[in-house]
Amino acid sequence: MSKDRVIDSLGRIDDDMVQSVDALRRKKKRTVWKRWVAAAACLCLLAMGTMLFLTHGNDKTPVLTWSESFRAENYFKYNAGGGDMASSKSIADSEIAYAASRYFSDERSRMETGGVIPEMPEHPLFFCVAHYNEDGTLYSVTFSWHQRGESYSDLSITAGYQEVEQIQDCIAVEVDKDGNIIPPSVTVTERDGIRITAYGNEKSSKTITFRKDSAWYQIAGSGWDSCSAMAELLDWVWEHPIDFEMFPMDKGSEITNVSLEDYPDAFVGQIPDFEGIGYFLGEYYLQLKDGEPYAFEGHYYKGVTPEQVEDGSCYGMEGWTEIHWCIDAQPDCYDLQDCMGDISELTQDQVIKALTETGSFSFMMNDVFIKVYCKDAAEAWKTVEILKS
């Protein structure tokens, strides 16, 4: 999978930590809030800070006051949870709010050394994407850190001059046992005169949002991430405001989706002659990074028709084969951990064993990483033999 296909609102990120830059953006429905009016006549001093009650209609939302002894979980203190999650498709006709994207994921060391981002060695995966308006000015920038294996973590910081409308491919809501939507609860904290709004809780996806120094920030984490991890990122941003001038459009890498017909020589010799052994190419994507082949994924089929694949009727049939062929010019550390070595070292027994245990196998060829998914070990090995010949 291509790891700079960014990833979305970052509320949900898949195991390979990528999201498509072509994903449709769900337009955020803005709610017109009534004016908040003070409802309490006194202040209640608590261990975690002072709590002032404000009214919103008939609801009462507490506003906490931050102090040096403020505990991380208090940012989410009043955020209930415990229901089930349901999701629905996003609005299909929504438009992406920005005109172009550039990637700065390769700049991690430089940004850490320069104090732009914190050092997070326990999160080996890092991505950074900046989005731009039609005139080339910055719309937003997102940094994200990820961990896989025994521990999972998805943390991110998104910032912009204005509130950033997040890309989402689904809308998740919490429902009770009867299927009724549970309105999201929120905790508001005042820190140095700035309001910080937090959604979610320790066991769910969560966000911390605020505006400071003429910039809008949102910190996001998954249900795997602790409130402490979120608070640590908040403290970092609080002391290290993002300098948007460090992300000029002409300095980032451009990743583009292109047609294989337009670039027939992309990864030549690293994609077997599937047509020659009776396969046809179904869904695929090919990406270039600064004009050079960067990532490819193709689904190849034999024993079925394109129409049967399109309508899904093939999944009730027998006697057909699908091979999912993935190429990545910049494999991450987790890719390399699973890699079985150079293609010249592969044996049929190794391939059969890997497919039996995991449903896939991976190897290196001419400095690119290739991962293959297939249920038919004999057919999969045939593709390796083609490349070896």
Side-chain angles (χ1 to χ4, degrees), residues 307-318:
E307 292 74 21
Q308 289 169 327
V309 172
E310 180 69 24
D311 63 22
S313 61
C314 61
Y315 294 104
M317 300 168 50
E318 295 182 359

Side-chain angles (χ1 to χ4, degrees), residues 24 105 376:
L24 293 174
S105 303
D376 190 323

Side-chain angles (χ1 to χ4, degrees), residues 260-284:
L260 195 57
E261 294 179 355
D262 295 333
Y263 292 85
D265 293 332
F267 296 115
V268 63
Q270 295 157 335
I271 302 175
D273 180 12
F274 281 102
E275 185 177 350
I277 55 175
Y279 286 81
F280 69 86
L281 177 60
E283 183 180 7
Y284 80 93

Side-chain angles (χ1 to χ4, degrees), residues 135-165:
D135 61 1
T137 58
L138 187 75
Y139 171 75
S140 69
V141 60
T142 294
F143 313 90
S144 64
W145 298 262
H146 313 282
Q147 183 181 32
R148 291 295 179 264
E150 295 183 0
S151 299
Y152 273 58
S153 175
D154 299 319
L155 292 166
S156 69
I157 300 171
T158 297
Y161 291 111
Q162 302 297 326
E163 179 178 356
V164 175
E165 298 189 34

Side-chain angles (χ1 to χ4, degrees), residues 66-77:
W66 181 87
S67 68
E68 292 292 341
S69 60
F70 200 81
R71 296 163 56 188
E73 57 266 30
N74 285 333
Y75 284 112
F76 306 90
K77 183 176 179 64

Side-chain angles (χ1 to χ4, degrees), residues 28 30 139 160-165 209 211 216-218:
K28 187 175 182 181
R30 303 184 184 277
Y139 171 75
Y161 291 111
Q162 302 297 326
E163 179 178 356
V164 175
E165 298 189 34
T209 308
R211 174 171 286 280
W216 178 93
Y217 295 92
Q218 184 172 90

Side-chain angles (χ1 to χ4, degrees), residues 366-386:
N366 300 333
D367 297 323
V368 303
F369 174 81
I370 300 176
K371 190 165 190 174
V372 182
Y373 299 84
C374 184
K375 293 182 179 180
D376 190 323
E379 287 291 307
W381 177 248
K382 187 184 299 183
T383 63
V384 175
E385 287 186 310
I386 292 173

Side-chain angles (χ1 to χ4, degrees), residues 14-282:
D14 64 21
D15 287 348
D16 291 313
M17 305 325 308
V18 296
Q19 299 171 354
S20 173
V21 293
D22 295 322
L24 293 174
R25 177 184 62 85
R26 172 181 176 267
K27 278 190 175 179
K28 187 175 182 181
K29 294 183 178 179
R30 303 184 184 277
T31 303
V32 180
W33 294 94
K34 296 181 179 179
R35 183 170 55 92
W36 294 87
V37 182
C42 63
L43 299 179
C44 302
L45 186 62
L46 305 178
M48 21 58 73
T50 304
M51 182 172 63
L52 174 65
F53 285 91
L54 302 180
T55 62
H56 171 218
N58 295 323
D59 299 328
K60 291 184 177 181
T61 301
V63 176
L64 310 181
T65 299
W66 181 87
S67 68
E68 292 292 341
S69 60
F70 200 81
R71 296 163 56 188
E73 57 266 30
N74 285 333
Y75 284 112
F76 306 90
K77 183 176 179 64
Y78 299 103
N79 298 0
D84 296 323
M85 298 302 293
S87 63
S88 61
K89 294 295 183 182
S90 59
I91 299 174
D93 60 355
S94 60
E95 298 177 355
I96 294 176
Y98 47 85
S101 301
R102 295 293 183 270
Y103 299 86
F104 296 83
S105 303
D106 298 334
E107 302 290 322
R108 179 174 186 171
S109 295
R110 180 184 65 82
M111 288 190 282
E112 287 177 343
T113 301
V116 180
I117 59 174
E119 295 185 17
M120 300 175 66
E122 70 283 5
H123 291 70
L125 300 187
F126 171 77
F127 310 102
C128 177
V129 58
H131 301 302
Y132 301 87
N133 299 307
E134 289 281 358
D135 61 1
T137 58
L138 187 75
Y139 171 75
S140 69
V141 60
T142 294
F143 313 90
S144 64
W145 298 262
H146 313 282
Q147 183 181 32
R148 291 295 179 264
E150 295 183 0
S151 299
Y152 273 58
S153 175
D154 299 319
L155 292 166
S156 69
I157 300 171
T158 297
Y161 291 111
Q162 302 297 326
E163 179 178 356
V164 175
E165 298 189 34
Q166 302 291 352
I167 297 174
Q168 299 181 9
D169 59 6
C170 67
I171 306 165
V173 295
E174 193 169 18
V175 295
D176 62 23
K177 62 181 181 179
D178 297 320
N180 300 311
I181 294 177
I182 301 174
S185 51
V186 60
T187 300
V188 178
T189 301
E190 187 169 289
R191 177 173 176 175
D192 299 340
I194 296 171
R195 291 285 176 88
I196 300 169
T197 303
Y199 286 92
N201 52 61
E202 187 80 30
K203 297 181 180 180
S204 71
S205 298
K206 40 196 163 287
T207 61
I208 293 176
T209 308
F210 62 95
R211 174 171 286 280
K212 185 176 186 288
D213 298 327
S214 300
W216 178 93
Y217 295 92
Q218 184 172 90
I219 298 166
S222 69
W224 301 102
D225 294 299
S226 66
C227 295
S228 295
M230 297 283 288
E232 288 175 8
L233 276 185
L234 171 60
D235 290 341
W236 172 271
V237 175
W238 208 262
E239 299 298 330
H240 303 81
I242 295 173
D243 181 2
F244 296 128
E245 298 299 322
M246 295 187 65
F247 301 94
M249 188 173 176
D250 61 349
K251 297 299 183 181
S253 294
E254 183 177 13
I255 296 178
T256 53
N257 293 305
V258 298
S259 168
L260 195 57
E261 294 179 355
D262 295 333
Y263 292 85
D265 293 332
F267 296 115
V268 63
Q270 295 157 335
I271 302 175
D273 180 12
F274 281 102
E275 185 177 350
I277 55 175
Y279 286 81
F280 69 86
L281 177 60

